[in-house]
Amino acid sequence: MSFKSIMREFKEIKEGIGSISSRGVEGKHWRGRARSHIAPDETPEETDQIDQGQWANLPPELLLDIIMRVEESESSWPARVVVVHCASVCRSWREITKEIVKTPEQCGRLTFPISLKQPGPRESPIQCFIKRDNATSTFLLYYGLVPSEGENDKLLLAARKIRRATCTDFIVSLVSDDFSRASNTYVGKLRQVFKCEWMSNFLGTKFTMYDSEPTFEVPRQLARRTSRRFHPRQVSLRLPACNYCIATITYELNVLRSRGPRRMHCIMHSIPMSSIEEGGTVQTLTSIPETFNSQFPHPSSSIGKELVSDNSSARASRSPVLAEGSEELLVLKNKAPRWHEQLQCWCLNFRGRVTVASVKNFQLVATAEPSHNVPAADQERVILQFGKIGKDIFTMDYFYPLSAFQAFAICLSSFDTKPACE
């Protein structure tokens, strides 16, 4: 049997399983209305047989070869959705797919939803773009260089700006139509606090980034220490229900009202300074949750949905990756631009990725001291760059050690108006 015929039968099996599931749901709903006191006769053995199918009995060597060919051939979206489908066939396919698909740091590709929480590649950036909709206060992050003509771009993350009396929240989700923090599509948030009982930020120059999950596996006792308010029905039994503070973004005040771009500092609470030193690494999630098989999207939807917990408390725990004072944190700062005499403006080399002058444009580099074991070539290496290319369209390119979610949240802070910093 040829490789194409195998993949053709695989798609037919997927469509058949989907039709069986839909008919089962409709039948159950009809029986529930007609005879509410009678439960349908369903046996676990039949369900397992439908979920596994005949593809679960393939020899491991053949299965490994099939998935490796699929992973190598489909390197870009939307064709890469076939790799996601391979992992959703059955348990054996999922386990082998998890072994073959590498992290973005290793392969430079985004495949599963967990890839959005993993560090980017070290050599070449992952290039994305952001669309802003002022009417709905939403921001959509897409995978690709620029928007395509057919508007078939891959949606990675979406954010909505919500103004409140004491703060402004940017709620980040996996989909563009559900920003509820009780939803399983909730990823995290960026909060700009103006005034509360434990901090004061009248000028709105400070932002705090929260993740719905720890950046790596943590003990349950540590996760229970978080103080938060939640409804009992919103608590997940598999994931800790709390907020994790993973970064703080601060914009310097321009007291003298001097001409120049914004100056910002990003303190990454979950990334140590040693990560950018020679041989340094970042702890990250590498395993896929158990709900992975049931949360795969349709090819036309986003990368996927992953079970996350609800977050509603303003006072959240620090990320458990780095204990207070245990290790020096990574601090990012904007790269200083140069003044162009002929153009009479501040300029940065965005390597053709930014074409419109804007106060929102920036490049972030690491704040390295002589005592740090950071090579001279890496001290000026751009880790994140963001800039405007058209009306409500911006590019975002990020490197290791930032993840897509962290880079997106930092860029969201640039969209907010800051008169005191300009």
Side-chain angles (χ1 to χ4, degrees), residues 267-287:
I267 303 176
M268 310 304 298
H269 299 298
S270 60
I271 304 177
M273 186 65 190
S274 60
S275 62
I276 63 173
E277 297 178 355
E278 294 184 359
T281 58
V282 178
Q283 292 179 322
T284 182
L285 282 172
T286 57
S287 60

Side-chain angles (χ1 to χ4, degrees), residues 144-415:
L145 297 175
V146 292
S148 61
E149 296 180 357
E151 296 185 356
N152 293 325
D153 304 304
K154 186 62 187 177
L155 177 66
L156 299 180
L157 293 169
R160 171 170 291 175
K161 184 177 180 180
I162 302 176
R163 292 185 179 272
R164 295 186 174 90
T166 59
C167 65
T168 298
D169 283 345
F170 290 86
I171 306 299
V172 183
S173 173
L174 290 173
V175 295
S176 59
D177 56 355
D178 187 2
F179 294 95
S180 172
R181 287 175 293 181
S183 172
N184 62 349
T185 61
Y186 175 71
V187 177
K189 67 181 178 183
L190 179 72
R191 168 160 291 187
Q192 179 187 22
V193 180
F194 302 115
K195 183 180 179 182
C196 64
E197 60 181 4
W198 57 281
M199 69 177 296
S200 180
N201 183 29
F202 293 101
L203 299 177
T205 59
K206 186 175 182 180
F207 298 80
T208 306
M209 188 191 310
Y210 295 99
D211 197 337
S212 62
E213 298 172 325
T215 54
F216 76 111
E217 298 294 339
V218 295
R220 290 186 177 182
Q221 293 181 354
L222 185 59
R224 291 175 182 173
R225 297 177 183 176
T226 304
S227 62
R228 59 181 297 277
R229 297 184 299 272
F230 55 86
H231 194 276
R233 296 182 179 179
Q234 297 174 350
V235 179
S236 171
L237 298 178
R238 296 179 179 177
L239 297 178
C242 51
N243 274 331
Y244 294 94
C245 175
I246 60 174
T248 302
I249 307 167
T250 306
Y251 288 83
E252 295 183 8
L253 297 177
N254 189 2
V255 180
L256 301 179
R257 309 296 296 173
S258 58
R259 297 179 62 186
R262 298 171 177 173
R263 293 182 292 272
M264 59 187 300
H265 294 272
C266 302
I267 303 176
M268 310 304 298
H269 299 298
S270 60
I271 304 177
M273 186 65 190
S274 60
S275 62
I276 63 173
E277 297 178 355
E278 294 184 359
T281 58
V282 178
Q283 292 179 322
T284 182
L285 282 172
T286 57
S287 60
I288 302 175
E290 296 179 2
T291 56
F292 178 82
N293 189 30
S294 61
Q295 297 295 338
F296 275 110
H298 190 270
S300 62
S301 62
S302 62
I303 273 187
K305 298 179 181 180
E306 190 172 341
L307 182 62
V308 294
S309 55
D310 172 50
N311 299 288
S312 57
S313 174
R315 183 180 300 180
S317 65
R318 288 290 180 92
S319 174
V321 176
L322 300 177
E324 200 71 32
S326 62
E327 193 171 358
E328 189 174 359
L329 303 178
L330 175 65
V331 179
L332 304 178
K333 65 177 181 179
N334 63 308
K335 189 174 183 180
R338 62 180 181 86
W339 178 255
H340 199 288
E341 291 294 340
Q342 296 180 350
L343 300 177
Q344 290 294 301
C345 65
W346 297 95
C347 295
L348 281 171
N349 183 13
F350 288 96
R351 301 185 182 277
R353 288 286 287 157
V354 178
T355 57
V356 179
S358 174
V359 70
K360 298 177 176 62
N361 302 345
F362 66 83
Q363 289 180 331
L364 293 185
V365 297
T367 304
E369 301 294 337
S371 59
H372 298 145
N373 186 22
V374 180
D378 293 341
Q379 294 183 6
E380 292 297 321
R381 183 176 68 90
V382 176
I383 296 178
L384 170 64
Q385 73 173 18
F386 171 79
K388 191 173 185 179
I389 60 174
K391 182 180 170 76
D392 297 325
I393 301 179
F394 304 80
T395 59
M396 186 194 85
D397 303 340
Y398 71 97
F399 287 87
Y400 170 92
L402 292 181
S403 66
F405 167 65
Q406 293 169 343
F408 184 45
I410 294 175
C411 295
L412 288 176
S413 68
S414 182
F415 283 108

Side-chain angles (χ1 to χ4, degrees), residues 6 9-10 13-14 17 47-64 66-67 86 88-96 293:
I6 291 177
E9 292 188 9
F10 162 65
I13 292 294
K14 287 290 297 177
I17 293 175
T47 304
D48 294 341
Q49 185 176 3
I50 293 176
D51 292 340
Q52 295 289 348
Q54 61 181 359
W55 296 99
N57 299 323
L58 286 178
E61 295 80 7
L62 177 60
L63 181 57
L64 180 65
I66 292 175
I67 299 180
C86 287
S88 62
V89 174
C90 59
R91 186 182 300 275
S92 58
W93 283 61
R94 179 170 65 250
E95 295 300 327
I96 293 181
N293 189 30

